[in-house]
Amino acid sequence: MQRHLSTLSTTFNDEVQIARRTLVVPLMKDQSLNLIEISYLLGYSDPESFSRAFKKWFHQSPSVYRQQSLGMFKN
């Protein structure tokens, strides 16, 4: 698998991060889930690791993102 990913100029970790970033947005819309639950659902061993990754992806903390997006998520 590592060789195959190498031919595609990617790594397993890169693919995991892409999947996590794709999955986080719908999880953030689910207001019944708290941020700790979301971090574990995405496979992070601790919420701090999730928070660091989230800040890298979206340039803000998960809680700020969620607060700013609440109006957009409501129907």
Side-chain angles (χ1 to χ4, degrees):
M1 181 178 213
Q2 185 175 355
R3 273 189 242 133
H4 177 68
L5 290 173
S6 177
T7 63
L8 300 173
S9 299
T10 190
T11 65
F12 181 77
N13 189 49
D14 291 341
E15 295 302 311
V16 168
Q17 293 304 313
I18 290 168
R20 286 174 168 167
R21 185 174 178 179
T22 301
L23 293 171
V24 75
V25 173
L27 291 173
M28 292 292 278
K29 290 179 183 180
D30 186 345
Q31 295 179 32
S32 70
L33 297 172
N34 65 43
L35 296 177
I36 294 170
E37 292 169 319
I38 292 171
S39 70
Y40 289 118
L41 286 171
L42 293 174
Y44 288 94
S45 58
D46 63 89
E48 292 79 20
S49 297
F50 165 67
S51 183
R52 281 192 302 275
F54 193 95
K55 286 176 186 175
K56 183 178 177 183
W57 300 330
F58 297 101
H59 308 289
Q60 58 187 331
S61 72
S63 57
V64 169
Y65 177 91
R66 198 171 226 187
Q67 288 172 351
Q68 290 178 348
S69 302
L70 278 177
M72 293 174 31
F73 295 154
K74 291 181 180 178
N75 291 329

